[in-house]
Amino acid sequence: MIAVVLLLAMLAAAVFAAATGGQAVPVVEILALTGVFLVFFGAGVYVAAVLGLLGILVGLTFSDRPWWAFAGQTLWGPSSNFVLVAVPLFLLMGEILLRAGLSDRLYRALNVWLNRLPGGLLHTNIVSCAVFSAISGSSVATAATMGSVALPYFNNSAYSQRMVLGSLAAGGALGNLIPPGITFIIYGLITETSVGALYIAALLPSLLVTGLFIAVILAHGLANPLDRPPPLPLALKLRALLDLVPTLLLILLVLGSIYAGYATPTEAAALGVVGAAGFAAVEGKLSFRLLNASAEATARNTALLGLIIFGAYLLNYLLTAINVPQALAGFIGGLPLPPWAIMACILALYLALGTFMEGFSMIITTVPVVFPIVTALGYDPIWFGVMVTMLVEIAQISPPDGTVMYVLQGMRPKPGPITDVFVGVTPFLAAYLLAVVLLMVWPDIALWLPRVMG
């Protein structure tokens, strides 16, 4: 569907260009391409193939230069970018930690401290996902990992299954927002924005969203009280903190090296892989089989992301070559609306796309078109990067196409309708939308910390 949106945007830009004295509008060709890609998306063709084919057809239809004359150079750019190396490294780190069992230790330790709060284990779902996100960088990986650990705790319990699934989905949606989120790396690569600055800017919004999720669970716990478990001795709680040490040390190694300026995100990702392997060795679980399984999963996910990136880059290059982003920016910039209203429309577009479009593909295909408009309106690229990432995360938990929700649905120990997940995630989705509104009204929530840290 994003291909259709871009084609219709191209049509609007072409009409605007013609109205201001430009060349004639190729309406027939644009509508024909729209029809072709409605068929492609309706047939369930892979996103990467659709983007590449759209780029080729746009080049053949609108560009005088053959697409094969520049395709190699266009695809070589992102594939050889040093920043992009961080993506498979962060994925590999998360795979090693999952197979080494550190996620289970993390959940148990947090449960000891949080299970007596109103809402009980639901708080552990959110906080454990937030902590694991700081070493995972992926929403789907966070939801899958913590879901596999947490769901057995709720078997035959009095907890609402809808709230259990909703809290795990919401916690998984923190995976890309909390540094070192992979979405920030892709956004920084596309817009040439500092990834380190994006990571710093994301800290306070991450705390805001996590706090709102906890508030939702507190309200639910007070409205639906459960029998609280007996209090545990302080000595037992302190011993449980030892299970948090590996995770906290890894977070310090990865994020601390970035924030202190000792390492780039790519170098920090490599340090994280070494650290994860070291902790797996301490646990006695480091083996060739573990490394091989982790490498296979990483290669599979990296190849999928790489194909999407290559298809999107080819499409973006051609759209830029025929002046679509420039014409669209001029069209929107000329609307008789204040900048905040135009920005609100852009954010609403992302929310609409998120209901049927996978988040990662959404950011790759839309940011090159939208980014010139945002900067022309005077908005900070770092702030917009945080906003887009939050909207991508909302897309992960937005019915009917939220990826994270379907991951958890497939992990349920007892079968049930997908509407359970939809209903359970709704209050958390509302909390996330509130965070977006707060960030729109007070952009310093994202910009204050980068400004202070220089």
Side-chain angles (χ1 to χ4, degrees):
M1 294 302 295
I2 190 64
V4 177
V5 174
L6 289 173
L7 287 169
L8 295 179
M10 186 191 307
L11 178 61
V15 171
F16 174 75
T20 54
Q23 60 183 5
V25 182
V27 175
V28 176
E29 291 88 343
I30 293 176
L31 292 179
L33 287 174
T34 304
V36 167
F37 279 90
L38 279 173
V39 174
F40 276 151
F41 277 103
V45 180
Y46 286 108
V47 173
V50 172
L51 293 175
L53 288 172
L54 178 58
I56 292 172
L57 288 180
V58 169
L60 292 174
T61 306
F62 299 103
S63 177
D64 295 332
R65 187 182 178 192
W67 64 269
W68 55 84
F70 53 79
Q73 182 179 358
T74 302
L75 300 183
W76 174 254
S79 63
S80 60
N81 194 295
F82 180 70
V83 174
L84 202 58
V85 178
V87 173
L89 289 175
F90 279 127
L91 291 175
L92 179 59
M93 180 176 65
E95 293 289 340
I96 293 174
L97 292 175
L98 171 61
R99 288 167 173 79
L102 291 180
S103 54
D104 186 55
R105 292 178 56 182
L106 167 67
Y107 192 88
R108 289 199 312 266
L110 291 173
N111 184 34
V112 169
W113 285 87
L114 301 173
N115 63 356
R116 284 183 54 81
L117 293 174
L121 279 175
L122 299 178
H123 291 289
T124 310
N125 290 351
I126 296 296
V127 178
S128 62
C129 285
V131 175
F132 190 80
S133 297
I135 53 177
S136 167
S138 167
S139 294
V140 173
T142 299
T145 301
M146 301 316 302
S148 64
V149 172
L151 286 175
Y153 282 82
F154 295 95
N155 285 339
N156 302 317
S157 69
Y159 286 90
S160 165
Q161 285 300 300
R162 290 180 171 179
M163 284 300 292
V164 170
L165 294 168
S167 62
L168 287 171
L174 296 170
N176 273 323
L177 178 62
I178 295 177
I182 293 174
T183 303
F184 289 119
I185 299 174
I186 304 303
Y187 176 87
L189 176 67
I190 294 174
T191 63
E192 299 183 356
T193 304
S194 168
V195 177
L198 290 168
Y199 282 169
I200 294 172
L203 285 178
L204 292 182
S206 301
L207 293 175
L208 172 64
V209 175
T210 304
L212 291 174
F213 286 171
I214 291 175
V216 169
I217 294 174
L218 283 173
H220 172 78
L222 293 173
N224 304 275
L226 298 172
D227 293 334
R228 293 197 296 176
L232 297 174
L234 180 60
L236 181 61
K237 288 187 174 183
L238 294 177
R239 282 198 301 271
L241 293 178
L242 293 176
D243 287 335
L244 295 177
V245 171
T247 303
L248 295 179
L249 287 178
L250 199 56
I251 293 173
L252 181 63
L253 177 66
V254 175
L255 296 183
S257 61
I258 295 175
Y259 294 148
Y262 295 135
T264 65
T266 305
E267 294 165 344
L271 288 173
V273 172
V274 174
F279 286 125
V282 171
E283 293 292 313
K285 296 185 178 180
L286 184 64
S287 63
F288 177 78
R289 176 175 295 181
L290 180 144
L291 293 176
N292 182 66
S294 300
E296 282 186 357
T298 301
R300 185 164 51 249
N301 292 329
T302 303
L304 176 62
L305 297 180
L307 286 174
I308 295 175
I309 291 173
F310 290 163
Y313 257 81
L314 182 62
L315 173 61
N316 294 336
Y317 179 89
L318 285 161
L319 291 178
T320 303
I322 60 178
N323 294 320
V324 171
Q326 299 89 325
L328 188 60
F331 171 72
I332 295 180
L335 293 175
L337 296 172
W340 67 265
I342 296 176
M343 177 56 67
C345 292
I346 293 173
L347 298 182
L349 171 64
Y350 273 97
L351 291 175
L353 291 176
T355 61
F356 57 81
M357 181 68 187
E358 190 272 325
F360 186 77
S361 305
M362 184 170 67
I363 192 172
I364 289 180
T365 51
T366 58
V367 166
V369 178
V370 173
F371 186 73
I373 303 171
V374 173
T375 54
L377 293 173
Y379 286 95
D380 192 288
I382 295 175
W383 172 84
F384 184 63
V386 175
M387 291 290 282
V388 166
T389 302
M390 294 175 70
L391 293 168
V392 166
E393 295 299 85
I394 289 174
Q396 301 273 16
I397 55 175
S398 294
D401 198 39
T403 309
V404 169
M405 296 187 296
Y406 286 97
V407 169
L408 289 169
Q409 172 68 8
M411 299 175 67
R412 296 177 66 171
K414 296 180 180 179
I418 186 64
T419 51
D420 286 346
V421 192
F422 291 170
V423 174
V425 82
T426 299
F428 299 98
L429 186 59
Y432 219 141
L433 291 173
L434 175 60
V436 170
V437 172
L438 293 176
L439 207 65
M440 181 76 180
V441 176
W442 293 292
D444 270 357
I445 296 174
L447 297 178
W448 176 77
L449 200 54
R451 186 166 58 245
V452 170
M453 296 183 67

